[in-house]
Amino acid sequence: MTALADRAAIAERAIRDRHLRRVWGLPGTVLGSSGWPPSAGQRVHWHWNYWWQAHLLDTLVDAQLRDPSPDRLKLIDRFVRSVRLRNFGKWINDYYDDIAWLGLALQRVGHLGLDVRGGLEAISSRLREGWTDDAGGGIWWRAGDDFKNAPANGPAAIFHAREGATQHAHGLTDWMTERLVDPDSGLVWDGLRVGSGELVKHVFTYCQGVYLGACLELSEMDRVGRTIAAVAEHVAPNGVIRGQEGGDGGLFAGILARYLALAAPLLPSGVARDLVIRSADACWSGATETPHGLLFSADWATPAPSLPLAGDAPERDLSVQVSAWMLLEAAATLDHRPRN
C-alpha cells in the first residue's frame, strides 16, 4: 500500500470510529452522526443531514475500491438500507441536489454488486421532473422554489451521464455554461433566481467541482481545462483548495478534490493532480491527534484545533471530516511520483 493509501486508511478508521452509529439504536443499522462529540440528538440521528450521508456513502465506496473488504461491503449494504429507513422509507426528498448526490453514490454501490435499482429508478425519475424551460432550462434547487443553481444541475448532469442519458446531461451542463459560468474568470457562479433574474455570484469550491465533473463525464475537455485553470488561480491559494467553514460548506472542498482527481489522468498538464496532492499534504500535516484518530481541519491550509473542541468548532461536523477523508481517498488514486 502506498503512503497516500495509508493516509486514506487512517482517515477512514478515524471517521468510522467517531461518527458511525446505529439509527435509533436499532441493530443492523448505521449512519454517520453529524457531530463529534455528538449531542443527544446527533447520537440517535435525530439530526442526520441526508446529503452528508450520501457523501459518506460515496467515500466508503472509495475505500472499498482502494482496499476491498467483505466486512466493509456489508457495512455499505447496511448503510444504504439505513438511509432509506431514516428517510422514512423513501429514497427522495424535496432537494434535487440532495437526491442527485445519493444517486451518484448508489450508482457506485451498484458497481460493487449490491442491488440498488429501486433507489436509482426513484432518483432518476424525480430528477427528470425537476427540469423546466424556465430561464432556458435546467432543474430547480428544490421543489416549489424559483432558484436554479450549479449545486443541483451539476451532480444531476453527472448522474444522467453515468446512466447513459447523455443528451439530458448535455442539456443541464450547457445550461450551466450559458447561465452560470463567468465569461471573464471561468469560475462558476452559484445560481439564478428565475423570478427576478438575479444572478447569485457567490463563488463556492463546490460549484467548480460539480461543473468540472459534468464536463468531464461528457468529454468537454476544453471546459474542463478552463475550469481547472480558474480553480488554480482563484480558489486554491498556494495550491491548496480553500475551506468554506463547517456545516454544508464543510463538504465543498472535498467535492472539488474528487473531480480534480478524476480529471488529472486525462490532462497533459499536472495542475489538477498538483492541487489534489498539495491539498492532501496540507490536510494531513495540519491534522490533530485524538484518542479516536486524526481530526482534520475545516481549512486545510491551517492546523486543526486541539481538544477539547469548542461547541461551535466546524471540525466537529461530519461534513468537514468526510471532506478531508474524501480528499485523501482522491489523492490515493493518483500516481504521486514526480512528473518528468
Side-chain angles (χ1 to χ4, degrees):
M1 186 179 289
T2 67
L4 293 177
D6 284 339
R7 290 179 177 181
I10 290 167
E12 178 190 5
R13 287 195 295 271
I15 291 155
R16 286 176 59 169
D17 184 29
R18 288 198 300 266
H19 288 276
L20 292 193
R21 298 287 184 273
R22 290 179 176 181
V23 179
W24 305 323
L26 296 174
T29 63
V30 63
L31 288 176
S33 174
S34 58
W36 180 83
S39 66
Q42 290 168 339
R43 194 171 289 113
V44 295
H45 304 289
W46 183 256
H47 306 285
W48 75 296
N49 300 88
Y50 175 112
W51 85 286
W52 296 12
Q53 305 296 331
H55 284 285
L56 176 52
L57 175 60
D58 215 8
T59 311
L60 283 167
V61 175
D62 291 337
Q64 184 66 4
L65 296 175
R66 167 179 48 78
D67 180 27
S69 158
D71 288 341
R72 192 190 295 102
L73 188 61
K74 292 177 183 177
L75 171 66
I76 289 169
D77 186 40
R78 292 200 304 274
F79 196 103
V80 169
R81 289 187 280 108
S82 298
V83 167
R84 189 179 185 190
L85 171 69
R86 180 58 187 81
N87 205 42
F88 303 112
K90 300 185 296 181
W91 292 109
I92 58 177
N93 66 16
D94 288 338
Y95 290 81
Y96 293 105
D97 54 345
D98 283 13
I99 63 175
W101 284 122
L102 182 59
L104 288 171
L106 291 179
Q107 284 176 327
R108 299 181 73 217
V109 168
H111 294 320
L112 299 178
L114 299 178
D115 185 2
V116 291
R117 288 173 293 181
L120 291 174
E121 289 168 2
I123 289 169
S124 181
S125 177
R126 174 57 66 90
L127 288 176
R128 288 176 181 276
E129 292 171 5
W131 174 279
T132 72
D133 292 331
D134 299 273
I139 66 172
W140 302 105
W141 169 47
R142 63 180 176 182
D145 207 78
D146 80 335
F147 192 47
K148 292 187 173 183
N149 62 0
N153 283 270
I158 299 167
F159 176 87
H160 288 305
R162 291 180 180 177
E163 71 172 354
T166 54
Q167 183 175 357
H168 194 54
H170 273 293
L172 294 163
T173 307
D174 289 345
W175 181 83
M176 287 189 290
T177 302
E178 293 163 8
R179 293 286 183 163
L180 301 182
V181 176
D182 180 356
D184 296 323
S185 69
L187 291 169
V188 183
W189 293 319
D190 186 34
L192 173 68
R193 301 195 189 283
V194 173
S196 65
E198 176 196 0
L199 271 172
V200 179
K201 295 186 177 182
H202 299 313
V203 174
F204 297 123
T205 49
Y206 177 12
C207 297
Q208 318 316 308
V210 296
Y211 179 71
L212 171 62
C215 294
L216 191 62
E217 290 294 328
L218 297 169
S219 299
E220 298 281 357
M221 301 310 292
D222 288 344
R223 293 176 179 174
V224 167
R226 187 180 185 202
T227 304
I228 291 171
V231 165
E233 182 176 356
H234 297 287
V235 299
N238 299 312
V240 177
I241 302 167
R242 75 182 186 204
Q244 301 202 261
E245 301 181 350
D248 286 346
L251 279 165
F252 289 4
I255 290 167
L256 175 54
R258 175 182 293 283
Y259 293 105
L260 286 168
L262 289 175
L266 305 178
L267 298 169
S269 165
V271 174
R273 173 190 170 278
D274 289 346
L275 287 168
V276 175
I277 297 299
R278 289 183 187 180
S279 297
D281 287 345
C283 173
W284 181 259
S285 64
T288 294
E289 291 278 2
T290 81
H292 299 274
L294 292 180
L295 182 81
F296 299 99
S297 176
D299 183 349
W300 300 327
T302 61
S306 300
L307 298 185
L309 296 176
D312 60 352
E315 286 77 14
R316 294 187 62 249
D317 290 345
L318 174 66
S319 58
V320 169
Q321 299 307 310
V322 168
S323 186
W325 176 19
M326 193 187 310
L327 165 69
L328 296 174
E329 292 286 359
T333 67
L334 301 178
D335 178 2
H336 61 287
R337 292 172 297 178
R339 289 176 175 265
N340 294 327

